[in-house]
């Protein structure tokens, strides 16, 4: 492993986490030439690093904006930060209604079994039980028999209550409403079921031959990619098998919700959803009523990394309320939460990389197998993301991929930050490390020789039209000074792998440095209709935004506020809570809200601005284009005429509603995998520094340095927070997060068995550069930032462990056996 | 019920035999919240101040069962019984250490209880107080069920011999943050008896003592000199301890899982490394 050329500068800046928060754009403390800037706390760094390759024209513009207190480019405080910090933020589990009943679900103890008979009488006989519902209470299927009202985002195959057969451990087959949560659980447990256990299909490799688990078959999708010449062979060929475990989104608050029946036979649901309108439509269809009789109100969301609740939870809750005529509240236990919501797709990947003697990639061959669990969910989409991203952000003239997503009796897989792209990033970055070793090149140099840039082709034949500053990202992380070695700082306390006061032994610790770069598609793919609608209203001194884009903790509401402040110059912006009476804004997933909903808010605000400026322009006898709004004042182009925005707004009530619909995409060809399926791509490079106890195989990540392609930093502090969150989640998958499943049974569905990174496990996360190269088609030129660091972090940490130990490291999470020498 | 003294607590226990005593509640309340336990009554021990400190008695320390992990991790206590302080410092996150108690750790008897291997290596005894008065029981006898806690009895004190010699506790959890032990090793030197005592935690339901390995390594130490051993001896000791405490996979019943063999090999390796490091640190 080669260290960057400036690694002699090991003085570092341990407190840089603080400093970087205040820095706006391209910032490099301690880098050659910017010592002054670093000393002055970053205010001057933007100009001090101007000659550096990462800086762009956007930097100066951003630096000019920083003097402002609100609007775009300012590190505004998160909307929900004060209430969350004070503990008064209302989450879904805090909801209450007078006379409410408690819901509970009865779940399958088997991974695969036939339900011979269900006797609900013992449950109904319990005092306090109001209703016990099974698949028989749902609208029947087309043939008139109960089928559990199956639903799903692409294929409607997941019943909300199992009918006849259960296909994964924990699948609900009955729902209970009672006057006390304990009674409800007791009733759920007292339902008598005669099971006929069936053999569980848990090895995705066997799914092709095994008897179908579902009438739809066992293969959700097969996607080949045929790009270039299959006969080409490189001078150097490396092969590898890689395995990615089952990561759980592990929301810190388990699923919870409240359903209130409406007089018209409909139901109002208060749930922590990230996709209210689609959920409403699917719930209505499960219940067999019109969508306008179901209303979803989005309550406080305690953690979501894209999709959150599974629909079965919401639909059964609605059904219980509709049937009992009482409000029903349901709060899942941690165990149920682990069993029911979708996890990251476990993956098996086989790769063969061909390169010429200079290390230029010639051909990539890959086989990708995703374990989709029992039901389709978004497996087909995740597969397309995995296959299309399978060569990574590199120029590869020939790519041949065969990818499958299959059905098993394992826990359900679904959407989770960086879905598809993460699994392949680990594999192709591991392959590049292997190739670097085979060619005796530094991993960094090998990557530099192959990076893609704007105009290069993806394996799907699509040209990358957005900025792709991959080389700049790599250079930015490589130029950052490395953290000091403990031997150079004998007085500082050294946190060993295994943690404070435990078994770590400094003599057995090896340090490793690893690099990885990756990319992630933004927005829906393959022809998904991406659209959002937003309304902006200004009355007097206050602007309000009505937009059904859910902020699940990503900070979108804060961005919405900044957008309106920027365009209208109004400080006081109210973001309305989200419900389904508002026009749809689509799911908060795939990094789309900043672009799609942000774009809709921008357009609506611009329309309001036009309404505001038109009469003024007429009064000044100039066209409205010659007026600008800045620092709360409307000023003419020559600066002669002007008035405060608030004065211009006096007595006015301005409204505008607008839509944003990014350019359409097309499905990938089922035979060749070719097609313009993506709207845009985001890139990220990470450098991980790890300490490994080579006797015990315990890994501690010391530092992760990030450089990210952000298009434009709308709120730098929020971007830093997203990078920290993504890196920490990626670290979890790399080192500890794994749902242990044996024969389809989830063994330890708790936070003791499923280990999340704590503050001690999380490394120092430094942002080397936020590269602002505006994406001209995106609103404000901004790219989605949440997923990319999570996609790259596991690959970077694996590379660092490889460098420290010399072991191949081919699976995630990294086990002690993979890191002990 | 909130008794203010040990006597009151014992009589309260006698009056309501169904009551469950609660000190820190870190294990108990977790079980209650998960719906695994619905005690008829709780007997709060938080106000029994006499159990929250320690005193000296005949060359031993008499530790109150209500000593918190955070208190034991402080330097004054660490000077007294270093291994116990080290173990207490590794228990959970600070929130748990601030309320979790020594007595609770023993009574819960979780296989991965961090103080248990230390107490086993120190050959500590506990004082159980019931309506008929107190009795002394070895910690290991209590844990193995050889001499269990009787109805109405409270764990009042833990008697730990003061050895005035190096003692260590090492815990492997597989991560940097607080974790349940995968394996832990406590090793104490007893120069007066020229003995090494070692206990391995978390690999079995109770801490295990590799007696043969202890005897063998005690014979390898030059007790009158520098008290050092050859690195090869430390290595061999580690393997000796590991093979004594971690059984071969497949020996227990035919239904051994396919992944049991690598799991056992990894655990054996971990225990071996811990025991080797423990001996190295104790003889440093």
């Amino acid at each position: 492993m080669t260290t960057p050329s400036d690694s002699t500068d090991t003085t570092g800046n341990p407190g840089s986490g603080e400093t970087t928060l205040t820095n706006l754009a391209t910032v490099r403390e301690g880098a050659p030439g910017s010592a002054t800037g670093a000393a002055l706390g970053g205010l001057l760094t933007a100009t001090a690093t101007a000659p550096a390759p990462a800086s762009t024209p956007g930097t100066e513009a951003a630096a000019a904006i920083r003097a402002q207190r609100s609007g775009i480019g300012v590190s505004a405080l998160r909307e929900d930060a004060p209430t969350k910090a004070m503990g008064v933020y209302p989450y879904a589990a805090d909801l209450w209604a007078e006379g409410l009943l408690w819901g509970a679900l009865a779940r399958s103890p088997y991974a695969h079994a036939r339900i011979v008979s269900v006797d609900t009488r013992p449950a109904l006989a319990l005092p306090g039980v109001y209703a016990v519902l099974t698949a028989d209470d749902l609208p029947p299927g087309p043939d008139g028999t109960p089928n559990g009202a199956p639903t799903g985002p692409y294929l409607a195959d997941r019943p909300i209550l199992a009918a006849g057969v259960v296909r994964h451990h924990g699948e609900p087959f009955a729902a209970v409403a009672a006057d006390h949560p304990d009674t409800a659980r007791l009733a759920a447990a007292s339902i008598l079921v005669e099971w006929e256990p069936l053999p569980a299909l848990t090895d995705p490799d066997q799914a092709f031959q095994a008897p179908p688990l579902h009438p739809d078959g066992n293969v959700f999708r097969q996607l080949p990619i045929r790009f270039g010449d299959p006969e080409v062979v490189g001078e150097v060929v490396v092969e590898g098998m890689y395995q990615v475990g089952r990561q759980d989104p592990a929301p810190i608050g388990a699923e919870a919700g409240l359903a209130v029946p409406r007089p018209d036979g409909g139901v109002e649901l208060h749930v922590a959803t990230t996709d209210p309108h689609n959920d409403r439509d699917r719930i209505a269809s499960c219940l067999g009523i019109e969508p306008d009789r179901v209303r979803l109100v989005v309550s406080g969301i305690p953690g979501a990394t894209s999709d959150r609740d599974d629909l079965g939870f919401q639909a059964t809750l609605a059904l219980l309320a509709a049937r009992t005529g009482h409000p029903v509240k349901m709060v899942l236990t941690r165990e149920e939460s682990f069993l029911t919501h979708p996890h990251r797709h476990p993956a098996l990947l086989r790769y063969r990389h061909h390169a010429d003697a200079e290390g230029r990639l010639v051909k990539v061959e890959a086989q990708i197998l995703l374990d989709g669990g029992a039901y389709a969910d978004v497996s087909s989409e995740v597969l397309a993301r995995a296959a299309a991203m399978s060569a990574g952000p590199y120029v590869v003239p020939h790519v041949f991929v065969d990818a499958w997503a299959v059905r098993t009796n394992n826990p359900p897989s679904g959407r989770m930050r960086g879905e598809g792209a993460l699994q392949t990033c680990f594999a192709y970055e591991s392959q590049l490390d292997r190739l670097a070793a085979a060619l005796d090149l530094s991993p960094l140099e090998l990557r530099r020789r192959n990076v893609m840039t704007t105009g290069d082709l993806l394996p799907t034949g699509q040209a990358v039209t957005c900025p792709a500053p991959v080389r700049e990202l790599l250079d930015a992380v490589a130029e950052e000074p490395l953290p000091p070695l403990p031997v150079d700082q004998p007085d500082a306390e050294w946190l060993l792998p295994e943690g404070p006061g435990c078994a770590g032994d400094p003599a057995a610790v090896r340090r490793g440095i690893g690099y990885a770069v990756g990319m992630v598609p933004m927005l829906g793919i393959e022809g998904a209709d991406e659209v959002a609608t937003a309304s902006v209203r200004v009355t007097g001194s206050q602007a309000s935004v009505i937009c059904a884009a859910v902020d699940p903790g990503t900070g979108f509401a804060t961005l919405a506020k900044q957008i309106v402040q920027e365009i209208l110059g109004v400080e006081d912006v109210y973001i309305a809570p989200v419900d389904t009476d508002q026009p749809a804004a689509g799911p908060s997933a795939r990094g789309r809200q900043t672009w799609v909903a942000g774009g809709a808010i921008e357009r609506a605000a611009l329309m309001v601005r036009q309404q505001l400026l038109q009469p003024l322009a007429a009064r000044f006898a100039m066209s409205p284009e010659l007026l600008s709004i800045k620092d709360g004042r409307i000023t003419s182009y020559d600066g002669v005429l002007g008035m405060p925005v608030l004065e211009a707004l006096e007595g006015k009530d301005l409204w505008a509603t607008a839509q944003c619909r990014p350019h359409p995409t097309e499905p990938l060809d089922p035979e060749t995998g070719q097609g313009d399926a993506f709207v845009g791509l985001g890139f990220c490079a990470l450098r991980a520094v790890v300490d490994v106890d080579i006797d015990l195989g315990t890994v501690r990540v010391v530092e992760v340095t990030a450089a990210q392609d952000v298009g434009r930093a709308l709120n730098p502090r929020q971007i830093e927070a997203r990078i920290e969150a993504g890196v920490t989640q990626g670290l979890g998958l790399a080192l500890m997060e794994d749902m242990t499943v044996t024969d389809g049974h989830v063994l330890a569905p708790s936070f003791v068995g499923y280990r999340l990174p704590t503050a001690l496990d999380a490394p120092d996360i430094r942002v080397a550069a936020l590269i602002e190269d505006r994406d001209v088609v995106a609103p404000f030129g901004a790219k989605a930032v949440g997923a990319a660091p999570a996609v790259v972090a596991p690959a970077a940490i694996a590379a660092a462990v490889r460098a420290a130990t010399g072991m191949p490291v081919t699976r995630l999470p990294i086990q002690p056996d993979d890191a002990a020498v | 019920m909130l008794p203010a003294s040990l006597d009151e607590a014992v009589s309260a226990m006698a009056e309501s035999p169904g009551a469950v005593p609660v000190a820190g509640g870190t294990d108990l309340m977790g079980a209650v919240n998960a719906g695994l336990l619905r005690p008829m009554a709780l007997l709060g021990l938080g106000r029994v101040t006499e159990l929250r400190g320690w005193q000296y008695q005949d060359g031993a320390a008499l530790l109150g069962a209500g000593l918190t992990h955070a208190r034991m991790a402080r330097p004054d206590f660490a000077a007294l019984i270093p291994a116990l302080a080290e173990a207490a410092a590794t228990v959970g996150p600070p929130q748990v250490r601030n309320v979790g108690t020594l007595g609770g750790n023993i009574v819960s008897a979780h296989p991965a209880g961090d103080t248990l291997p230390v107490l086993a290596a120190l050959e500590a005894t506990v004082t159980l107080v019931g309506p008929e008065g107190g009795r002394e029981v070895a910690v290991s006898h209590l844990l193995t069920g050889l001499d269990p806690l009787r109805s109405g009895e409270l764990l009042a004190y833990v008697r730990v011999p003061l050895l005035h010699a190096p003692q260590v506790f090492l815990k492997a959890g597989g991560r940097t943050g607080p974790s349940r032990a995968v394996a832990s090793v406590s090793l104490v030197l007893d120069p007066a008896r020229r003995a090494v005592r070692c206990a391995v935690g978390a690999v079995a339901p109770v801490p295990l003592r590799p007696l043969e390995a202890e005897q063998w390594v005690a014979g390898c130490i030059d007790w009158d000199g520098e008290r050092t051993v050859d690195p090869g001896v430390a290595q061999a000791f580690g393997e000796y301890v590991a093979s004594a405490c971690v059984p071969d996979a497949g020996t227990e019943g035919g239904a051994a899982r396919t992944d049991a063999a690598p799991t056992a090999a990894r655990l054996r390796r971990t225990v071996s490394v811990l025991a080797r490091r423990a001996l190295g640190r104790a003889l440093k």
Side-chain angles (χ1 to χ4, degrees), chain A residues 182 498 504 693 695 756 761, chain B residues 38 173 175 177 276-277 281:
Chain A
D182 283 354
E498 290 294 347
D693 187 317
D695 285 341
L756 287 172
D761 297 292
Chain B
R38 282 288 143 91
R175 65 189 278 179
R276 187 188 66 191
R277 288 185 184 174
R281 284 190 203 180

Side-chain angles (χ1 to χ4, degrees), chain B residues 128-215:
Chain B
L128 304 176
V129 183
E132 288 94 46
R135 64 193 179 105
E136 288 272 314
V137 176
V139 167
S140 53
H141 289 193
L142 185 71
L143 292 176
T144 52
L146 203 63
D147 199 348
L149 201 64
R150 293 175 198 155
S151 168
E153 273 185 339
L154 282 172
L155 197 160
Y157 300 100
V158 182
R159 181 188 297 275
V160 179
L162 295 175
L163 298 174
H164 308 292
Q167 42 182 249
V168 289
F169 169 80
L170 296 182
K171 165 178 169 180
R175 65 189 278 179
T176 312
S179 71
R180 186 166 280 184
V182 171
S184 59
V185 168
S186 179
L187 186 137
V188 304
L189 300 185
D190 189 348
R193 283 190 266 172
R194 303 205 158 187
V196 174
R197 293 205 297 273
C198 175
V200 181
V203 298
V206 294
L208 301 178
R209 289 275 304 275
L211 296 172
E212 288 176 16
E214 289 176 0
Q215 275 171 13

Side-chain angles (χ1 to χ4, degrees), chain A residues 361 392-396 432 444-454 456 468-472 474 517:
Chain A
L361 291 172
Y394 304 108
V395 179
V396 190
L432 256 76
L444 208 51
E445 178 54 32
L446 179 69
R447 286 175 171 83
R448 283 196 181 116
R449 288 184 190 180
N450 288 291
V451 289
M452 69 161 50
T453 180
T454 307
D456 287 326
V470 186
R471 195 190 171 90
E472 290 84 342
L474 272 173
V517 53

